[in-house]
Amino acid sequence: MISVLFVDDETHVLDGLRRSMHSMRAEWRMRFCTSGTDALQQLSAEPADVVIADMRMPTMDGSQLLAEVKRHYPHAVRFILSGQAERESVIRATRNAHRYLSKPCDAASLRTAIARALSLKALLANDALDEIVGRVDALPTPPTMYVRLRECLRGADTSIEDVVDLIQQDVALTAKVLKLANSGFFGRREPVES
């Protein structure tokens, strides 16, 4: 059974979550806390597979709570479920949360998000790998050339010449394309030189 811990300082929000997630009680063991301190105490007694926290709470906000969860329970899937959408707050939350969900979030979307996160976690069945991934702060951004090439390829009126012009701007990418074009995979009799 999956253990899910919901943390929100507003009891009516927790009551709403309890009602909307009632159908999951056969699959999830759900616990509800009204503060980050209470959540950490519950986690020390019994860790959770998923921790879902509100962003704006007194004493310890959701990002601070999830930072502690990340440090002490890196295997736990961490969500922020918040109505707060201030840019700085969202950016700060991304350091410690795997996913940011906006309130109001319907029950089906929440169930789907948790199911997806847990299925990905199941792929990381190796404990050492799970711990390493759990501690990751951020993923690298894609290279500029990748973004430009993707945008070019999505264009309705993109020609092969447009793609060639873009690839030729990057020497390393050009070399990789030429290497692939000349590999045995394509079985060409004559070398591709441009």
Side-chain angles (χ1 to χ4, degrees), residues 55-87:
M55 186 60 187
R56 198 179 279 177
M57 296 185 291
T59 311
M60 181 186 302
D61 70 18
S63 184
Q64 292 168 322
L65 168 61
L66 293 186
E68 291 297 308
V69 172
K70 178 180 174 181
R71 187 160 31 123
H72 298 291
Y73 311 97
H75 67 281
V77 177
R78 302 175 301 272
F79 286 87
I80 288 287
L81 176 61
S82 183
Q84 183 177 355
E86 297 160 1
R87 185 170 185 248

PDB file of all heavy atoms in Angstrom, residues 55-87:
ATOM      1  N   MET A  55       2.240  25.392  -0.259  1.00  0.00           N
ATOM      2  CA  MET A  55       3.418  26.257  -0.285  1.00  0.00           C
ATOM      3  C   MET A  55       3.421  27.228   0.880  1.00  0.00           C
ATOM      4  O   MET A  55       4.403  27.365   1.588  1.00  0.00           O
ATOM      5  CB  MET A  55       3.473  27.018  -1.612  1.00  0.00           C
ATOM      6  CG  MET A  55       4.729  27.834  -1.784  1.00  0.00           C
ATOM      7  SD  MET A  55       6.195  26.790  -1.740  1.00  0.00           S
ATOM      8  CE  MET A  55       7.446  28.033  -1.759  1.00  0.00           C
ATOM      9  N   ARG A  56       2.299  27.894   1.086  1.00  0.00           N
ATOM     10  CA  ARG A  56       2.241  28.966   2.069  1.00  0.00           C
ATOM     11  C   ARG A  56       1.675  28.449   3.384  1.00  0.00           C
ATOM     12  O   ARG A  56       0.479  28.222   3.518  1.00  0.00           O
ATOM     13  CB  ARG A  56       1.380  30.105   1.530  1.00  0.00           C
ATOM     14  CG  ARG A  56       1.602  31.409   2.246  1.00  0.00           C
ATOM     15  CD  ARG A  56       0.748  32.500   1.660  1.00  0.00           C
ATOM     16  NE  ARG A  56       1.361  33.034   0.459  1.00  0.00           N
ATOM     17  CZ  ARG A  56       0.811  33.965  -0.292  1.00  0.00           C
ATOM     18  NH1 ARG A  56      -0.369  34.441  -0.001  1.00  0.00           N
ATOM     19  NH2 ARG A  56       1.437  34.413  -1.349  1.00  0.00           N
ATOM     20  N   MET A  57       2.578  28.249   4.358  1.00  0.00           N
ATOM     21  CA  MET A  57       2.181  27.809   5.699  1.00  0.00           C
ATOM     22  C   MET A  57       3.023  28.576   6.706  1.00  0.00           C
ATOM     23  O   MET A  57       4.168  28.926   6.411  1.00  0.00           O
ATOM     24  CB  MET A  57       2.413  26.301   5.879  1.00  0.00           C
ATOM     25  CG  MET A  57       1.578  25.418   4.982  1.00  0.00           C
ATOM     26  SD  MET A  57       1.789  23.648   5.328  1.00  0.00           S
ATOM     27  CE  MET A  57       3.455  23.358   4.775  1.00  0.00           C
ATOM     28  N   PRO A  58       2.481  28.848   7.894  1.00  0.00           N
ATOM     29  CA  PRO A  58       3.267  29.569   8.899  1.00  0.00           C
ATOM     30  C   PRO A  58       4.415  28.702   9.432  1.00  0.00           C
ATOM     31  O   PRO A  58       4.395  27.487   9.324  1.00  0.00           O
ATOM     32  CB  PRO A  58       2.238  29.874   9.995  1.00  0.00           C
ATOM     33  CG  PRO A  58       1.151  28.886   9.807  1.00  0.00           C
ATOM     34  CD  PRO A  58       1.138  28.523   8.349  1.00  0.00           C
ATOM     35  N   THR A  59       5.414  29.317   9.971  1.00  0.00           N
ATOM     36  CA  THR A  59       6.592  28.700  10.579  1.00  0.00           C
ATOM     37  C   THR A  59       7.488  28.013   9.548  1.00  0.00           C
ATOM     38  O   THR A  59       8.629  28.370   9.375  1.00  0.00           O
ATOM     39  CB  THR A  59       6.212  27.692  11.693  1.00  0.00           C
ATOM     40  OG1 THR A  59       5.272  28.311  12.570  1.00  0.00           O
ATOM     41  CG2 THR A  59       7.437  27.278  12.484  1.00  0.00           C
ATOM     42  N   MET A  60       6.971  27.020   8.843  1.00  0.00           N
ATOM     43  CA  MET A  60       7.741  26.292   7.837  1.00  0.00           C
ATOM     44  C   MET A  60       6.881  26.167   6.587  1.00  0.00           C
ATOM     45  O   MET A  60       5.844  25.518   6.607  1.00  0.00           O
ATOM     46  CB  MET A  60       8.098  24.889   8.372  1.00  0.00           C
ATOM     47  CG  MET A  60       8.917  24.060   7.415  1.00  0.00           C
ATOM     48  SD  MET A  60       9.186  22.343   7.980  1.00  0.00           S
ATOM     49  CE  MET A  60       9.993  22.582   9.537  1.00  0.00           C
ATOM     50  N   ASP A  61       7.309  26.814   5.487  1.00  0.00           N
ATOM     51  CA  ASP A  61       6.501  26.732   4.271  1.00  0.00           C
ATOM     52  C   ASP A  61       6.762  25.408   3.547  1.00  0.00           C
ATOM     53  O   ASP A  61       7.623  24.607   3.957  1.00  0.00           O
ATOM     54  CB  ASP A  61       6.714  27.947   3.364  1.00  0.00           C
ATOM     55  CG  ASP A  61       8.082  27.995   2.691  1.00  0.00           C
ATOM     56  OD1 ASP A  61       8.781  26.974   2.619  1.00  0.00           O
ATOM     57  OD2 ASP A  61       8.456  29.081   2.212  1.00  0.00           O
ATOM     58  N   GLY A  62       6.021  25.170   2.488  1.00  0.00           N
ATOM     59  CA  GLY A  62       6.107  23.899   1.776  1.00  0.00           C
ATOM     60  C   GLY A  62       7.483  23.613   1.206  1.00  0.00           C
ATOM     61  O   GLY A  62       7.963  22.480   1.253  1.00  0.00           O
ATOM     62  N   SER A  63       8.150  24.642   0.693  1.00  0.00           N
ATOM     63  CA  SER A  63       9.485  24.443   0.132  1.00  0.00           C
ATOM     64  C   SER A  63      10.483  24.048   1.221  1.00  0.00           C
ATOM     65  O   SER A  63      11.313  23.160   1.021  1.00  0.00           O
ATOM     66  CB  SER A  63       9.954  25.705  -0.586  1.00  0.00           C
ATOM     67  OG  SER A  63      11.204  25.483  -1.197  1.00  0.00           O
ATOM     68  N   GLN A  64      10.395  24.700   2.373  1.00  0.00           N
ATOM     69  CA  GLN A  64      11.274  24.354   3.491  1.00  0.00           C
ATOM     70  C   GLN A  64      11.005  22.925   3.970  1.00  0.00           C
ATOM     71  O   GLN A  64      11.945  22.171   4.247  1.00  0.00           O
ATOM     72  CB  GLN A  64      11.078  25.330   4.646  1.00  0.00           C
ATOM     73  CG  GLN A  64      11.556  26.728   4.340  1.00  0.00           C
ATOM     74  CD  GLN A  64      11.088  27.738   5.368  1.00  0.00           C
ATOM     75  OE1 GLN A  64       9.968  27.661   5.870  1.00  0.00           O
ATOM     76  NE2 GLN A  64      11.945  28.702   5.674  1.00  0.00           N
ATOM     77  N   LEU A  65       9.732  22.562   4.047  1.00  0.00           N
ATOM     78  CA  LEU A  65       9.384  21.203   4.461  1.00  0.00           C
ATOM     79  C   LEU A  65       9.948  20.188   3.474  1.00  0.00           C
ATOM     80  O   LEU A  65      10.582  19.206   3.866  1.00  0.00           O
ATOM     81  CB  LEU A  65       7.854  21.042   4.560  1.00  0.00           C
ATOM     82  CG  LEU A  65       7.352  19.598   4.706  1.00  0.00           C
ATOM     83  CD1 LEU A  65       7.887  18.951   5.975  1.00  0.00           C
ATOM     84  CD2 LEU A  65       5.838  19.564   4.662  1.00  0.00           C
ATOM     85  N   LEU A  66       9.738  20.430   2.186  1.00  0.00           N
ATOM     86  CA  LEU A  66      10.209  19.473   1.190  1.00  0.00           C
ATOM     87  C   LEU A  66      11.734  19.418   1.121  1.00  0.00           C
ATOM     88  O   LEU A  66      12.299  18.378   0.767  1.00  0.00           O
ATOM     89  CB  LEU A  66       9.598  19.766  -0.172  1.00  0.00           C
ATOM     90  CG  LEU A  66       8.080  19.548  -0.263  1.00  0.00           C
ATOM     91  CD1 LEU A  66       7.603  19.737  -1.691  1.00  0.00           C
ATOM     92  CD2 LEU A  66       7.643  18.209   0.278  1.00  0.00           C
ATOM     93  N   ALA A  67      12.409  20.503   1.492  1.00  0.00           N
ATOM     94  CA  ALA A  67      13.874  20.469   1.583  1.00  0.00           C
ATOM     95  C   ALA A  67      14.301  19.479   2.668  1.00  0.00           C
ATOM     96  O   ALA A  67      15.246  18.708   2.483  1.00  0.00           O
ATOM     97  CB  ALA A  67      14.425  21.865   1.870  1.00  0.00           C
ATOM     98  N   GLU A  68      13.589  19.499   3.794  1.00  0.00           N
ATOM     99  CA  GLU A  68      13.888  18.555   4.875  1.00  0.00           C
ATOM    100  C   GLU A  68      13.544  17.116   4.455  1.00  0.00           C
ATOM    101  O   GLU A  68      14.287  16.186   4.744  1.00  0.00           O
ATOM    102  CB  GLU A  68      13.115  18.929   6.150  1.00  0.00           C
ATOM    103  CG  GLU A  68      13.601  20.199   6.796  1.00  0.00           C
ATOM    104  CD  GLU A  68      15.043  20.081   7.258  1.00  0.00           C
ATOM    105  OE1 GLU A  68      15.379  19.115   7.974  1.00  0.00           O
ATOM    106  OE2 GLU A  68      15.850  20.960   6.884  1.00  0.00           O
ATOM    107  N   VAL A  69      12.425  16.973   3.779  1.00  0.00           N
ATOM    108  CA  VAL A  69      12.027  15.645   3.289  1.00  0.00           C
ATOM    109  C   VAL A  69      13.081  15.139   2.311  1.00  0.00           C
ATOM    110  O   VAL A  69      13.504  13.978   2.368  1.00  0.00           O
ATOM    111  CB  VAL A  69      10.631  15.684   2.631  1.00  0.00           C
ATOM    112  CG1 VAL A  69      10.302  14.360   1.951  1.00  0.00           C
ATOM    113  CG2 VAL A  69       9.565  16.032   3.668  1.00  0.00           C
ATOM    114  N   LYS A  70      13.523  16.006   1.435  1.00  0.00           N
ATOM    115  CA  LYS A  70      14.541  15.642   0.439  1.00  0.00           C
ATOM    116  C   LYS A  70      15.828  15.190   1.125  1.00  0.00           C
ATOM    117  O   LYS A  70      16.458  14.218   0.701  1.00  0.00           O
ATOM    118  CB  LYS A  70      14.803  16.848  -0.462  1.00  0.00           C
ATOM    119  CG  LYS A  70      15.852  16.649  -1.506  1.00  0.00           C
ATOM    120  CD  LYS A  70      15.975  17.946  -2.311  1.00  0.00           C
ATOM    121  CE  LYS A  70      17.087  17.924  -3.284  1.00  0.00           C
ATOM    122  NZ  LYS A  70      17.179  19.202  -4.007  1.00  0.00           N
ATOM    123  N   ARG A  71      16.214  15.887   2.169  1.00  0.00           N
ATOM    124  CA  ARG A  71      17.454  15.567   2.873  1.00  0.00           C
ATOM    125  C   ARG A  71      17.350  14.255   3.648  1.00  0.00           C
ATOM    126  O   ARG A  71      18.260  13.439   3.604  1.00  0.00           O
ATOM    127  CB  ARG A  71      17.824  16.704   3.818  1.00  0.00           C
ATOM    128  CG  ARG A  71      19.186  16.502   4.453  1.00  0.00           C
ATOM    129  CD  ARG A  71      19.801  17.763   5.000  1.00  0.00           C
ATOM    130  NE  ARG A  71      18.842  18.725   5.470  1.00  0.00           N
ATOM    131  CZ  ARG A  71      18.811  19.223   6.697  1.00  0.00           C
ATOM    132  NH1 ARG A  71      19.706  18.850   7.581  1.00  0.00           N
ATOM    133  NH2 ARG A  71      17.921  20.110   7.037  1.00  0.00           N
ATOM    134  N   HIS A  72      16.240  14.063   4.359  1.00  0.00           N
ATOM    135  CA  HIS A  72      16.114  12.896   5.240  1.00  0.00           C
ATOM    136  C   HIS A  72      15.415  11.696   4.607  1.00  0.00           C
ATOM    137  O   HIS A  72      15.629  10.563   5.030  1.00  0.00           O
ATOM    138  CB  HIS A  72      15.366  13.293   6.523  1.00  0.00           C
ATOM    139  CG  HIS A  72      16.095  14.325   7.316  1.00  0.00           C
ATOM    140  ND1 HIS A  72      17.271  14.075   7.979  1.00  0.00           N
ATOM    141  CD2 HIS A  72      15.822  15.644   7.525  1.00  0.00           C
ATOM    142  CE1 HIS A  72      17.686  15.176   8.587  1.00  0.00           C
ATOM    143  NE2 HIS A  72      16.820  16.149   8.323  1.00  0.00           N
ATOM    144  N   TYR A  73      14.568  11.946   3.610  1.00  0.00           N
ATOM    145  CA  TYR A  73      13.798  10.868   2.964  1.00  0.00           C
ATOM    146  C   TYR A  73      13.858  11.048   1.445  1.00  0.00           C
ATOM    147  O   TYR A  73      12.839  11.311   0.806  1.00  0.00           O
ATOM    148  CB  TYR A  73      12.338  10.884   3.443  1.00  0.00           C
ATOM    149  CG  TYR A  73      12.231  10.969   4.948  1.00  0.00           C
ATOM    150  CD1 TYR A  73      12.019  12.201   5.584  1.00  0.00           C
ATOM    151  CD2 TYR A  73      12.364   9.832   5.738  1.00  0.00           C
ATOM    152  CE1 TYR A  73      11.945  12.284   6.965  1.00  0.00           C
ATOM    153  CE2 TYR A  73      12.295   9.918   7.124  1.00  0.00           C
ATOM    154  CZ  TYR A  73      12.091  11.138   7.717  1.00  0.00           C
ATOM    155  OH  TYR A  73      12.019  11.221   9.086  1.00  0.00           O
ATOM    156  N   PRO A  74      15.043  10.939   0.851  1.00  0.00           N
ATOM    157  CA  PRO A  74      15.184  11.245  -0.581  1.00  0.00           C
ATOM    158  C   PRO A  74      14.369  10.334  -1.496  1.00  0.00           C
ATOM    159  O   PRO A  74      14.105  10.690  -2.641  1.00  0.00           O
ATOM    160  CB  PRO A  74      16.690  11.077  -0.833  1.00  0.00           C
ATOM    161  CG  PRO A  74      17.178  10.222   0.270  1.00  0.00           C
ATOM    162  CD  PRO A  74      16.294  10.509   1.450  1.00  0.00           C
ATOM    163  N   HIS A  75      13.943   9.195  -1.002  1.00  0.00           N
ATOM    164  CA  HIS A  75      13.132   8.279  -1.814  1.00  0.00           C
ATOM    165  C   HIS A  75      11.695   8.764  -1.991  1.00  0.00           C
ATOM    166  O   HIS A  75      10.996   8.322  -2.893  1.00  0.00           O
ATOM    167  CB  HIS A  75      13.123   6.892  -1.175  1.00  0.00           C
ATOM    168  CG  HIS A  75      12.391   6.891   0.134  1.00  0.00           C
ATOM    169  ND1 HIS A  75      12.964   7.358   1.297  1.00  0.00           N
ATOM    170  CD2 HIS A  75      11.130   6.544   0.439  1.00  0.00           C
ATOM    171  CE1 HIS A  75      12.067   7.269   2.276  1.00  0.00           C
ATOM    172  NE2 HIS A  75      10.949   6.778   1.783  1.00  0.00           N
ATOM    173  N   ALA A  76      11.260   9.685  -1.149  1.00  0.00           N
ATOM    174  CA  ALA A  76       9.866  10.151  -1.203  1.00  0.00           C
ATOM    175  C   ALA A  76       9.635  11.048  -2.416  1.00  0.00           C
ATOM    176  O   ALA A  76      10.451  11.898  -2.748  1.00  0.00           O
ATOM    177  CB  ALA A  76       9.506  10.907   0.070  1.00  0.00           C
ATOM    178  N   VAL A  77       8.503  10.869  -3.061  1.00  0.00           N
ATOM    179  CA  VAL A  77       8.087  11.740  -4.161  1.00  0.00           C
ATOM    180  C   VAL A  77       7.499  12.990  -3.517  1.00  0.00           C
ATOM    181  O   VAL A  77       6.672  12.908  -2.616  1.00  0.00           O
ATOM    182  CB  VAL A  77       7.046  11.034  -5.057  1.00  0.00           C
ATOM    183  CG1 VAL A  77       6.555  11.968  -6.144  1.00  0.00           C
ATOM    184  CG2 VAL A  77       7.633   9.766  -5.663  1.00  0.00           C
ATOM    185  N   ARG A  78       7.938  14.173  -3.988  1.00  0.00           N
ATOM    186  CA  ARG A  78       7.590  15.437  -3.339  1.00  0.00           C
ATOM    187  C   ARG A  78       6.802  16.341  -4.278  1.00  0.00           C
ATOM    188  O   ARG A  78       7.256  16.644  -5.378  1.00  0.00           O
ATOM    189  CB  ARG A  78       8.865  16.139  -2.873  1.00  0.00           C
ATOM    190  CG  ARG A  78       9.695  15.293  -1.924  1.00  0.00           C
ATOM    191  CD  ARG A  78      11.017  15.960  -1.560  1.00  0.00           C
ATOM    192  NE  ARG A  78      11.884  16.255  -2.688  1.00  0.00           N
ATOM    193  CZ  ARG A  78      12.781  15.411  -3.195  1.00  0.00           C
ATOM    194  NH1 ARG A  78      12.910  14.191  -2.689  1.00  0.00           N
ATOM    195  NH2 ARG A  78      13.548  15.773  -4.212  1.00  0.00           N
ATOM    196  N   PHE A  79       5.608  16.762  -3.811  1.00  0.00           N
ATOM    197  CA  PHE A  79       4.740  17.648  -4.577  1.00  0.00           C
ATOM    198  C   PHE A  79       4.452  18.911  -3.782  1.00  0.00           C
ATOM    199  O   PHE A  79       4.303  18.858  -2.564  1.00  0.00           O
ATOM    200  CB  PHE A  79       3.368  16.995  -4.821  1.00  0.00           C
ATOM    201  CG  PHE A  79       3.346  15.901  -5.840  1.00  0.00           C
ATOM    202  CD1 PHE A  79       3.616  14.599  -5.485  1.00  0.00           C
ATOM    203  CD2 PHE A  79       3.021  16.180  -7.161  1.00  0.00           C
ATOM    204  CE1 PHE A  79       3.580  13.585  -6.421  1.00  0.00           C
ATOM    205  CE2 PHE A  79       2.968  15.173  -8.101  1.00  0.00           C
ATOM    206  CZ  PHE A  79       3.249  13.863  -7.731  1.00  0.00           C
ATOM    207  N   ILE A  80       4.330  20.028  -4.500  1.00  0.00           N
ATOM    208  CA  ILE A  80       3.737  21.242  -3.934  1.00  0.00           C
ATOM    209  C   ILE A  80       2.346  21.330  -4.544  1.00  0.00           C
ATOM    210  O   ILE A  80       2.183  21.205  -5.760  1.00  0.00           O
ATOM    211  CB  ILE A  80       4.550  22.504  -4.294  1.00  0.00           C
ATOM    212  CG1 ILE A  80       5.869  22.553  -3.525  1.00  0.00           C
ATOM    213  CG2 ILE A  80       3.741  23.772  -4.039  1.00  0.00           C
ATOM    214  CD1 ILE A  80       5.750  22.874  -2.040  1.00  0.00           C
ATOM    215  N   LEU A  81       1.341  21.508  -3.701  1.00  0.00           N
ATOM    216  CA  LEU A  81      -0.041  21.717  -4.138  1.00  0.00           C
ATOM    217  C   LEU A  81      -0.447  23.058  -3.558  1.00  0.00           C
ATOM    218  O   LEU A  81      -0.695  23.173  -2.360  1.00  0.00           O
ATOM    219  CB  LEU A  81      -0.950  20.596  -3.624  1.00  0.00           C
ATOM    220  CG  LEU A  81      -2.438  20.725  -3.925  1.00  0.00           C
ATOM    221  CD1 LEU A  81      -2.690  20.746  -5.427  1.00  0.00           C
ATOM    222  CD2 LEU A  81      -3.209  19.584  -3.276  1.00  0.00           C
ATOM    223  N   SER A  82      -0.453  24.091  -4.409  1.00  0.00           N
ATOM    224  CA  SER A  82      -0.614  25.432  -3.874  1.00  0.00           C
ATOM    225  C   SER A  82      -1.394  26.337  -4.806  1.00  0.00           C
ATOM    226  O   SER A  82      -1.345  26.190  -6.024  1.00  0.00           O
ATOM    227  CB  SER A  82       0.774  26.040  -3.628  1.00  0.00           C
ATOM    228  OG  SER A  82       0.660  27.314  -3.054  1.00  0.00           O
ATOM    229  N   GLY A  83      -2.080  27.281  -4.208  1.00  0.00           N
ATOM    230  CA  GLY A  83      -2.779  28.310  -4.962  1.00  0.00           C
ATOM    231  C   GLY A  83      -1.881  29.509  -5.189  1.00  0.00           C
ATOM    232  O   GLY A  83      -2.228  30.431  -5.910  1.00  0.00           O
ATOM    233  N   GLN A  84      -0.721  29.499  -4.575  1.00  0.00           N
ATOM    234  CA  GLN A  84       0.231  30.596  -4.702  1.00  0.00           C
ATOM    235  C   GLN A  84       0.986  30.436  -6.013  1.00  0.00           C
ATOM    236  O   GLN A  84       1.589  29.404  -6.272  1.00  0.00           O
ATOM    237  CB  GLN A  84       1.201  30.549  -3.526  1.00  0.00           C
ATOM    238  CG  GLN A  84       2.177  31.680  -3.515  1.00  0.00           C
ATOM    239  CD  GLN A  84       3.071  31.620  -2.287  1.00  0.00           C
ATOM    240  OE1 GLN A  84       2.891  30.790  -1.413  1.00  0.00           O
ATOM    241  NE2 GLN A  84       4.042  32.499  -2.233  1.00  0.00           N
ATOM    242  N   ALA A  85       0.966  31.447  -6.849  1.00  0.00           N
ATOM    243  CA  ALA A  85       1.611  31.342  -8.151  1.00  0.00           C
ATOM    244  C   ALA A  85       2.626  32.457  -8.387  1.00  0.00           C
ATOM    245  O   ALA A  85       2.931  32.783  -9.513  1.00  0.00           O
ATOM    246  CB  ALA A  85       0.552  31.343  -9.241  1.00  0.00           C
ATOM    247  N   GLU A  86       3.159  33.031  -7.334  1.00  0.00           N
ATOM    248  CA  GLU A  86       4.173  34.071  -7.488  1.00  0.00           C
ATOM    249  C   GLU A  86       5.436  33.427  -8.052  1.00  0.00           C
ATOM    250  O   GLU A  86       5.844  32.359  -7.606  1.00  0.00           O
ATOM    251  CB  GLU A  86       4.465  34.729  -6.139  1.00  0.00           C
ATOM    252  CG  GLU A  86       3.266  35.441  -5.559  1.00  0.00           C
ATOM    253  CD  GLU A  86       3.397  35.658  -4.058  1.00  0.00           C
ATOM    254  OE1 GLU A  86       4.424  35.263  -3.472  1.00  0.00           O
ATOM    255  OE2 GLU A  86       2.449  36.211  -3.485  1.00  0.00           O
ATOM    256  N   ARG A  87       6.035  34.084  -9.010  1.00  0.00           N
ATOM    257  CA  ARG A  87       7.165  33.517  -9.746  1.00  0.00           C
ATOM    258  C   ARG A  87       8.292  33.054  -8.819  1.00  0.00           C
ATOM    259  O   ARG A  87       8.788  31.937  -8.936  1.00  0.00           O
ATOM    260  CB  ARG A  87       7.682  34.553 -10.748  1.00  0.00           C
ATOM    261  CG  ARG A  87       8.757  34.022 -11.639  1.00  0.00           C
ATOM    262  CD  ARG A  87       9.061  35.015 -12.763  1.00  0.00           C
ATOM    263  NE  ARG A  87      10.000  34.428 -13.668  1.00  0.00           N
ATOM    264  CZ  ARG A  87      11.243  34.851 -13.816  1.00  0.00           C
ATOM    265  NH1 ARG A  87      11.673  35.883 -13.129  1.00  0.00           N
ATOM    266  NH2 ARG A  87      12.051  34.258 -14.663  1.00  0.00           N
TER     267      ARG A  87
END
